[in-house]
Amino acid sequence: MATTDKNILHRVYAVSIFFAVVAIAIVAQIVRIQFFEGDAYRAKAEERIFRNQMVEANRGNLYDSNGQLLATSITKYDIRFDAVAPSQKDFNSEIEPLASSLSRKLNKPKSYFLTKFRKARTNNSRYLHIIDDINYNDLMELKSFPLFKRGANRGGLIVEPHVEREYPLGKMAERLVGYDEVGKPRVGLEGAYRNFLKGENGSRLEQKISGNQWKPINNVNEIEPKDGLDVYTTIDVNMQDVAHHALLEQLEYFEADHGTAVVMETATGEIKALSNLGRSSDGKYFEKRNYALWESHEPGSTFKLMSVIAALEDKVIDTSTVFDTQNGKISYYGRNVRDSKYGGYGKISVARAFELSSNTALVQMVQDNYGNDPEKYVDRLYSMNLNDKLNLPIIGEGKPMIPHPDDENWSGLSLPWMGFGYGVRLTPLQTLTFYNAVANNGVMVKPRLIKEVRSKDKMIEKYDREIINPSICSQETIDKVKVMMENVVKRGTADNLYSSRFSMAGKTGTCQTEYWKGSGNYIASFAGYFPADKPKYSCIVVIHKPNTSKGYYGNIVAGPVFKKIAQKIYASNPQADEVELPNSVPTKIQNSLKSYYTKAQKTSKDLPDLRGMDAMDAIAIIENMGAKVKIVGAGKVKSQSIKPGTKINTSHQVILTLS
């Protein structure tokens, strides 16, 4: 055989071998896929057609301390129609009755639905939109309609549930209640207690249809979602309402930048009200940030309480120790400290200096006694937990800052400036926690926003008070500063707040802010507690950058908010001293009693006009008519939820707003 022919035969043989190997490899791959990896590939193919879609769980309810809703979840339903699912017989016989039912329910012409359904049937539409966001009762009604009552597979009814969060208080306490949304930071109570509230999501099987849309296989879930737990907070909606409106009124009048007001129950640390309002570009106020928790700033004169307690506890002074206010001005390293009163107060005691908030006297108290050993003063402040965060569950607490002599930026001005509240930083809530400890005879309790967690009516977890420090100082020191704080209101810087009807104690604060930019910006504050003799609640009000032409001192800007809050809460929780009653009944009370008697004697079921009446009289009238009554606020009736002249019965509830 010729060499050429041999070469050709070799090539043919090689090619045959190559194709045989390829064929064997292909067969082997087919066998491997078919018998060994077939399930995996089939599953992947099915994944492109079917999916398990998450069904969101209902979040638990958020309540105030009295069981009023702060936040709740409502399940809403979107309705669609699979026009291919019904048989031709069912479609022909029931599409007109269905269109008639939907026409009555949704207030659209019957012809509109007939045209829509027939066009969808012709186009093989499997995901026709009907209506969104209906409630459960409406869903049950739609499920009873012709064709729809046959369900998903025979009637073509597609029900898609989703959960919406609703907030009954609206904009009031919006930042405090907060939110917990995907892609956003967790805010307020919703974010803090999400582990209780969020529940466990379920799933339902969906199939991919034309138009890249997904249609539920049926109207039941493969895995049912598990509702979240209910959280009962310490907030009192009525107190929150009082704090919100008292703060808002003052911010609006003084055209301030922002402010906060917090009310805490003395013995337990329960926060009963927490209002934060900031100004928008159009001059309106809203819950912009949680200033009480977040904003760490120089407290100014409210810090003088801490300085006085430190000096008393270290026994370097007594309340009777005298300092010369030196004509109202004293200098340290070329920087002046001035009193608000031109010419100063002469020679006065520490107690009187505190009442009058004398900067010169109290700065000397700190500098003269701790100048050679500033660490002793700072360590005393640290021992009272003033440099510690509160570590509340709400995210975003500002860090306190109490300088230490070992710090790099410590200077000769650091110590005297700390004496009257500059060069230190605290949040309003941190300051209030200290003042509350004084009201609580030295026991510092942690502010608390949660009372208990429930699953419906079943108790899951109960929360009690948590003690930060069992004794910030001696009882002797507490007793002394309590008298001084009460005298601030009786005869000191806050004497404009004094009331003979109930007692308050506290300290004013007026502090320059952003002074490195120039003068003219102030922070006005008032912190204290009430009643003074048996403290039930502590409270702080801080207002930033009021219009200085209208006022900027703590007693003028912040103090009245404190007093209004105290008055209204005090009226609801009276702990008044014995009041001597007059021998004769005033004309105003006689007229009120006459008005009550006249309305109470009526047998008509027409609700009378109750405005201006005392709450107890209005309640008696409503309950005698057989209806229920709910009270919001304190005082006399300002408005009623049901108009005068309306016939009422046992099914009615009348909400009375008091002022």
Side-chain angles (χ1 to χ4, degrees), residues 34-171:
Q34 181 70 27
F35 294 101
F36 297 101
E37 298 182 8
D39 291 343
Y41 279 98
R42 279 188 289 273
K44 286 185 178 180
E46 284 191 2
E47 282 179 3
R48 298 189 183 97
I49 303 173
F50 299 97
R51 71 177 184 186
N52 274 311
Q53 178 65 9
M54 182 191 77
V55 177
E56 188 178 359
N58 277 323
R59 285 176 70 88
N61 291 333
L62 198 62
Y63 293 98
D64 87 334
S65 58
N66 300 312
Q68 295 195 58
L69 274 173
L70 300 177
T72 188
S73 289
I74 305 294
T75 303
K76 298 290 183 70
Y77 304 89
D78 298 341
I79 304 301
R80 295 181 180 273
F81 177 57
D82 181 354
V84 177
S87 67
Q88 192 64 49
K89 177 184 176 183
D90 290 340
F91 186 88
N92 291 340
S93 64
E94 297 188 37
I95 200 64
E96 286 206 23
L98 173 60
S100 297
S101 298
L102 288 171
S103 174
R104 289 190 296 271
K105 178 66 179 175
L106 304 182
N107 198 27
K108 288 185 177 181
K110 175 182 175 181
S111 58
Y112 166 82
F113 290 106
L114 277 175
T115 302
K116 190 172 184 175
F117 288 146
R118 285 169 176 160
K119 183 178 179 181
R121 181 78 170 183
T122 301
N123 295 335
N124 293 324
S125 175
R126 309 206 66 180
Y127 202 60
L128 180 68
H129 176 262
I130 305 298
I131 189 172
D132 290 335
D133 294 331
I134 64 171
N135 60 34
Y136 180 78
N137 290 334
D138 288 335
L139 172 65
M140 291 298 101
E141 186 177 355
L142 258 66
K143 280 187 169 183
S144 68
F145 286 177
L147 197 59
F148 280 178
K149 65 184 178 183
R150 296 183 180 276
N153 296 323
R154 290 189 59 194
L157 176 65
I158 301 172
V159 179
E160 296 184 325
H162 60 274
V163 178
E164 293 183 3
R165 199 67 167 162
E166 294 194 354
Y167 301 95
L169 291 187
K171 292 296 180 182

Side-chain angles (χ1 to χ4, degrees), residues 406-423:
D406 292 339
D407 294 344
E408 289 183 7
N409 57 354
W410 181 271
S411 72
L413 289 173
S414 296
L415 181 64
W417 255 237
M418 289 171 70
F420 68 124
Y422 285 87

Side-chain angles (χ1 to χ4, degrees), residues 23 92 117 182 206 313-314 356 367 372 518 538 550 636 645:
N92 291 340
F117 288 146
V182 177
E206 294 183 339
E313 199 66 5
D314 287 336
L356 297 172
Q367 182 65 26
N372 295 326
S538 61
K550 293 185 174 183
K636 293 184 179 294

